Amino acid sequence: MLVIQDVSKNYGNFTALKDINLEFSAGVYGLLAPNGAGKTTLIKMLVTLISPSKGEILYNGTNITNFDEEYRDILGYLPQQFGYYKHYTPKKYLMYLAALKGIDKKVAHDRITELLKKVALSDVANKKMRKFSGGMIQRVGIAQALLNDPKILILDEPTAGLDPKERARFRQLLTELSRERLIIISTHIVSDIESIANEVVMIKNQELLYMDSVENICHTLEGSIYETSIANEELESFRKNHVLLSEKQERGSMLVRFVHKGSPEPEWTLKSPHLEDVFLFEYRDDLSLDV
Amino acid sequence: MAMRISLYESKKALTSPIILFLLVLFTVYNIFLIYNSSDFKKELHIANDIAKNYGLDITDESLLKLENDMQEDLSYLNEITSEKVGQTFTSSGEFFTNLRFEDQETYTEEQLNSFYDLYVKEMYLGTAKGIDDSYNKIDIATLGEDGIRSYGLTGSAADTLRKQFEVFEDRFEQMKANAEHKEWFFAGKMYFMHSLLFKSLFLSIILESIILIVLSTALITNYEFENRTQLVTFATKRGRRLMGDKLSASLIVSTFLSVFLLGSSLFIYFIVYDYSHLWGSSISSAFNWEYQFPYVSWWDMSLLTFLIWSIALFYACMLLFAGATFVISVLIKNSYFTFFVFAAIFAILFLLQGFMPKSSNLLFAAGFNLSSLALNPHQWFMASKGLLIFKYYEWITVLVWMVFITVFIILVIKHFKKREIV
Ligand SMILES: Nc1ncnc2c1ncn2[C@@H]1O[C@H](COP(=O)(O)OP(=O)(O)OP(=O)(O)O)[C@@H](O)[C@H]1O
Ligand SMILES: [Mg+2]
């Protein structure tokens, strides 16, 4: 059990995270928040690369810094920017990381062959990584995180750079791995975790917003999501009065999805909320530039 | 596991093209340096021959024997000259003074060579006979006063130097009493063999090793930050302890590089220059006199002992430079800046003595630094080295800096354990 207790993190005067309390047991956790919300900051604290300015992180009751090697031994981590030696082959690089992870040479050799197969890189196991595509590198990163068969797997935006086919394959891999393991995945792409996360953690304004199942989080907008068709000219005024979640061109008019609390107009259709709706609604200020 | 990791880290430097390229370049340069001086030294074997036939020690007896044998050589010379030009000479020196260019044809190459050998022997004999005279002329106390004047020392600095020259004088007298100076060696004023080996070659190797060691230590230490792999590597089980492995790797690589450079050069050097009968000769030999003053070591040392101690001191310095680079690298996190910061500190330390007041003992203290030590290899263990005259100069410098650098290493490793890795 991994517990984050009253953790705050400051970078100089800037507060990146404030009074975060979280508890993780086995299962898949999605860390869902927009850019700059502090996902990477939280993850770097979980993998002991940085330490909290306040509060502590405990694994089975012991501070992870004191646990030291023993803690990192059960840890698999894929950073957001996965660094690699360009002139190394995946095999050579993984052999090196296996040594850092304290894995016996022979064991490592077999394990690497197996993992490279799992991430579909067997063909290029002995090719220098210099010429690899972003998706291939990301898969080397995933293989690396799994080298020591970690009890805790922490992935920071693992699907970045993967094409849709690879994303699907990756979700499948995670489902396979999720038994008996704690997996934390950060992302700002809802679909990455919507179907596989047992619980979703959302951070807003440096603080914890939700830590709950997808269903329960969606429930917070139950009865407030509507869709309706409006004329193209009406869009601007509609946008002023409602929180728009999405808009779609449809036979000369505009189909809009929006949040409304209070009594609805008769022509609106009530919809059941999706995680995406909550995400767009909660972060509407942060995301206003994107929408 | 630690060893396996250290080897992985070592490999990063030892497979680096720039380091391998420099290693080859430096080795080639050293070989060039060795061969380049060999042309002028055809008669080097004579010192060996003399030591072989008459023993290393210069005694009245052995000199007499040498002189007798040379008399025979001279008769041979006169036999030929009287036959060819109807002349005889009292020495080969005289023969060569009177030899006109066009007459050279008269003699075979072989004959001229044997005459020249005799000429060189005459030179050795002359020097050997004059040892007592030359050494009696040396007055260490006056030398000390000259030093004080030329450095412009006053106050306690002058007192210190004067006192050191007194210690030196004792050693000088003891050296004479031991007859350490009365041993055959290559004539310094002709061949400058001590300078060739311990100044040109050693100094080149020292500078080359420093360059390679600084580059490779900085490379190993900063490798993760420069390849942006720090988030992966320092979050593994090994974690920040990896920095300790990088230190071991730096020392391993430094050992390899310095041993390779020095080993290959010395190997070739001793193939090109034959020392076979002179290994046991004292480093304070009267023949080991190249400039105004002969080399006089603080201890009774043979050439071989001196060489071995020099190699040991060289290696100690190299490890210390690796340690110092490690400290700078961890703090600076960038190879290029590390290189420049190292170079700046190295230069400042070397120049430090020049900025010290000429009246204070700080002047001497400032000389106890690794730069001054490393840049004077031909003076190692020698008594006559200006403001660095102290008997235990090498030992103190190495020990003090070993303590310094070790403390710094412990501090930066501790600091790194807590550092944020972003
Ligand atoms: N080393 C640092 N020094 C100063 N500020 C930092 C540092 N690292 C992160 N920040 C700031 O902290 C905030 C959170 O950054 P963080 O990288 O944790 O966000 P994130 O959720 O991972 O974003 P993204 O989705 O873009 O990866 C940002 O405003 C960022 O600018
Ligand atoms: Mg991030």
Side-chain angles (χ1 to χ4, degrees):
Chain A
M1 176 111 97
L2 192 57
V3 178
I4 299 180
Q5 215 165 66
D6 297 325
V7 164
S8 300
K9 180 67 191 178
N10 308 320
Y11 293 113
N13 290 328
F14 175 77
T15 304
L17 290 172
K18 204 159 73 193
D19 297 322
I20 304 285
N21 282 288
L22 290 170
E23 280 189 28
F24 300 101
S25 43
V28 179
Y29 292 81
L31 186 51
L32 181 65
N35 292 126
K39 301 183 295 291
T40 300
T41 301
L42 183 64
I43 282 179
K44 280 184 180 165
M45 287 194 285
L46 286 174
V47 299
T48 71
L49 286 171
I50 62 177
S51 42
S53 310
K54 198 182 118 252
E56 56 181 349
I57 301 173
L58 307 167
Y59 180 69
N60 291 342
T62 309
N63 189 312
I64 54 171
T65 325
N66 302 336
F67 240 121
D68 201 31
E69 286 204 347
E70 233 180 298
Y71 171 70
R72 284 191 308 272
D73 193 21
I74 55 161
L75 199 65
Y77 166 51
L78 173 67
Q80 186 168 358
Q81 263 103 33
F82 172 63
Y84 59 100
Y85 306 145
K86 290 181 188 54
H87 57 293
Y88 274 39
T89 67
K91 195 154 181 188
K92 194 171 162 197
Y93 189 41
L94 291 177
M95 278 307 282
Y96 168 66
L97 292 175
L100 296 188
K101 290 179 180 223
I103 303 168
D104 187 74
K105 220 170 178 165
K106 247 186 85 60
V107 177
H109 189 86
D110 298 345
R111 178 96 183 122
I112 288 166
T113 312
E114 175 195 332
L115 279 172
L116 286 176
K117 201 156 143 203
K118 204 174 241 174
V119 297
L121 288 175
S122 301
D123 295 349
V124 290
N126 292 310
K127 291 248 163 32
K128 294 202 167 157
M129 291 190 277
R130 178 172 288 124
K131 290 188 178 148
F132 280 21
S133 70
M136 288 161 90
I137 292 297
Q138 198 68 357
R139 281 182 278 154
V140 176
I142 291 164
Q144 160 279 135
L146 295 174
L147 261 179
N148 50 333
D149 195 13
K151 277 207 188 112
I152 304 175
L153 182 60
I154 300 180
L155 309 166
D156 197 353
E157 306 208 14
T159 55
L162 298 186
D163 63 30
K165 204 177 98 225
E166 285 169 330
R167 269 170 207 246
R169 185 195 173 84
F170 175 68
R171 279 196 294 273
Q172 152 103 40
L173 177 67
L174 281 187
T175 321
E176 248 173 68
L177 290 168
S178 63
R179 279 170 238 121
E180 297 293 305
R181 221 185 284 264
L182 163 57
I183 303 181
I184 301 172
I185 306 166
S186 90
T187 186
H188 54 261
I189 299 167
V190 177
S191 61
D192 275 354
I193 51 156
E194 194 171 23
S195 59
I196 53 168
N198 306 88
E199 287 199 39
V200 172
V201 177
M202 291 170 86
I203 298 167
K204 187 179 173 182
N205 299 332
Q206 294 81 46
E207 291 181 277
L208 181 65
L209 177 65
Y210 294 122
M211 175 166 188
D212 216 331
S213 63
V214 173
E215 198 185 345
N216 289 343
I217 290 177
C218 290
H219 195 74
T220 59
L221 284 184
E222 192 64 55
S224 311
I225 304 289
Y226 297 93
E227 278 185 7
T228 190
S229 277
I230 54 171
N232 284 346
E233 308 81 60
E234 288 175 90
L235 186 61
E236 277 316 304
S237 63
F238 200 85
R239 197 195 291 279
K240 279 198 191 97
N241 302 320
H242 303 277
V243 181
L244 274 188
L245 298 172
S246 69
E247 55 224 54
K248 205 163 30 175
Q249 202 69 36
E250 208 181 53
R251 269 176 270 112
S253 60
M254 188 74 87
L255 180 68
V256 289
R257 188 178 174 99
F258 59 97
V259 180
H260 179 82
K261 302 201 171 181
S263 46
E265 302 286 325
E267 69 270 25
W268 296 352
T269 338
L270 185 66
K271 291 279 173 183
S272 60
H274 295 153
L275 189 56
E276 179 91 27
D277 300 326
V278 182
F279 183 78
L280 292 173
F281 177 68
E282 290 295 347
Y283 300 118
R284 57 191 179 275
D285 299 328
D286 302 332
L287 301 171
S288 54
L289 289 172
D290 302 326
V291 177
Chain B
M1 197 53 69
M3 199 59 212
R4 196 170 126 212
I5 296 172
S6 297
L7 290 181
Y8 272 116
E9 296 300 327
S10 307
K11 246 199 247 164
K12 289 175 181 171
L14 292 178
T15 54
S16 149
I18 173 84
I19 286 171
L20 291 178
F21 170 75
L22 285 177
L23 185 62
V24 172
L25 183 76
F26 289 158
T27 309
V28 170
Y29 173 76
N30 294 340
I31 294 171
F32 166 78
L33 197 68
I34 294 166
Y35 275 99
N36 193 36
S37 329
S38 66
D39 287 355
F40 313 97
K41 301 188 168 147
K42 288 207 184 70
E43 324 79 34
L44 266 184
H45 65 93
I46 290 179
N48 263 308
D49 294 346
I50 295 175
K52 180 181 168 196
N53 296 326
Y54 308 95
L56 259 181
D57 293 335
I58 301 170
T59 59
D60 293 343
E61 241 168 86
S62 69
L63 282 183
L64 202 65
K65 228 172 124 214
L66 171 63
E67 212 169 352
N68 285 338
D69 291 348
M70 284 165 58
Q71 215 55 68
E72 273 172 39
D73 294 344
L74 188 63
S75 329
Y76 170 71
L77 181 145
N78 282 327
E79 219 171 89
I80 292 165
T81 53
S82 55
E83 180 186 308
K84 296 223 162 148
V85 295
Q87 258 185 307
T88 57
F89 302 91
T90 56
S91 72
S92 177
E94 192 192 334
F95 166 78
F96 278 106
T97 328
N98 294 309
L99 181 65
R100 282 177 308 173
F101 184 73
E102 53 272 30
D103 291 344
Q104 286 194 7
E105 303 286 297
T106 326
Y107 306 98
T108 63
E109 179 92 21
E110 207 179 318
Q111 286 166 343
L112 278 177
N113 280 345
S114 79
F115 299 166
Y116 193 69
D117 281 1
L118 177 61
Y119 167 72
V120 175
K121 277 187 200 167
E122 284 166 2
M123 189 271 303
Y124 274 101
L125 182 69
T127 308
K129 281 180 166 171
I131 290 178
D132 282 334
D133 270 352
S134 344
Y135 275 66
N136 286 336
K137 274 192 219 131
I138 296 174
D139 178 4
I140 303 286
T142 316
L143 231 57
E145 292 308 319
D146 289 350
I148 289 169
R149 208 170 321 112
S150 70
Y151 291 119
L153 303 190
T154 56
S156 48
D159 292 343
T160 304
L161 195 66
R162 196 170 290 124
K163 232 175 260 148
Q164 282 309 309
F165 268 91
E166 280 166 24
V167 184
F168 179 19
E169 185 155 26
D170 291 346
R171 162 63 188 147
F172 191 69
E173 293 308 319
Q174 176 211 7
M175 189 278 297
K176 283 200 285 185
N178 292 346
E180 286 169 42
H181 58 322
K182 293 197 175 171
E183 290 180 23
W184 296 108
F185 194 65
F186 303 117
K189 287 195 157 55
M190 258 180 112
Y191 307 117
F192 297 93
M193 294 305 278
H194 187 84
S195 286
L196 176 61
L197 176 55
F198 292 105
K199 197 173 182 178
S200 309
L201 192 58
F202 253 75
L203 190 59
S204 306
I205 293 169
I206 286 169
L207 292 175
E208 293 159 1
S209 298
I210 290 177
I211 291 173
L212 284 175
I213 284 171
V214 172
L215 284 180
S216 50
T217 303
L219 180 139
I220 292 172
T221 312
N222 296 321
Y223 204 79
E224 313 314 321
F225 293 99
E226 289 181 346
N227 284 284
R228 318 255 348 112
T229 53
Q230 76 277 27
L231 300 181
V232 182
T233 50
F234 292 112
T236 56
K237 181 183 181 193
R238 194 73 184 158
R240 286 169 171 81
R241 224 154 289 176
L242 176 59
M243 219 22 131
D245 300 323
K246 285 178 181 289
L247 174 63
S248 338
S250 301
L251 298 178
I252 293 171
V253 170
S254 301
T255 302
F256 172 82
L257 292 171
S258 51
V259 166
F260 182 88
L261 274 177
L262 187 66
S264 61
S265 300
L266 287 185
F267 180 75
I268 289 165
Y269 180 88
F270 287 112
I271 285 180
V272 174
Y273 303 107
D274 181 18
Y275 278 65
S276 44
H277 297 280
L278 298 171
W279 287 112
S281 178
S282 168
I283 201 72
S284 309
S285 159
F287 285 96
N288 202 12
W289 184 337
E290 297 175 338
Y291 303 98
Q292 297 91 326
F293 195 80
Y295 289 102
V296 177
S297 63
W298 279 113
W299 295 273
D300 185 355
M301 288 170 135
S302 68
L303 172 76
L304 183 63
T305 322
F306 183 83
L307 180 65
I308 289 171
W309 279 114
S310 295
I311 292 171
L313 186 55
F314 162 81
Y315 182 55
C317 288
M318 292 309 126
L319 290 186
L320 290 177
F321 284 127
T325 311
F326 176 79
V327 171
I328 298 171
S329 290
V330 175
L331 294 178
I332 290 187
K333 300 187 238 180
N334 174 298
S335 296
Y336 289 100
F337 286 128
T338 299
F339 193 84
F340 290 120
V341 168
F342 180 94
I345 296 176
F346 188 86
I348 288 169
L349 283 177
F350 183 66
L351 300 174
L352 195 59
Q353 248 185 348
F355 297 113
M356 291 295 147
K358 298 264 189 317
S359 58
S360 141
N361 282 325
L362 266 181
L363 179 69
F364 299 105
F368 285 78
N369 66 71
L370 286 178
S371 310
S372 302
L373 177 63
L375 293 180
N376 286 303
H378 62 299
Q379 298 279 32
W380 286 348
F381 314 112
M382 296 294 182
S384 48
K385 55 173 171 245
L387 295 175
L388 310 177
I389 181 170
F390 303 86
K391 179 169 182 181
Y392 296 101
Y393 171 74
E394 288 78 12
W395 310 106
I396 293 172
T397 308
V398 165
L399 273 175
V400 166
W401 284 84
M402 188 152 44
V403 172
F404 255 152
I405 289 171
T406 311
V407 169
F408 270 112
I409 286 174
I410 293 169
L411 288 180
V412 296
I413 284 186
K414 270 203 174 138
H415 159 80
F416 186 74
K417 282 253 154 83
K418 296 209 190 85
R419 188 152 94 199
E420 308 260 281
I421 295 176
V422 291

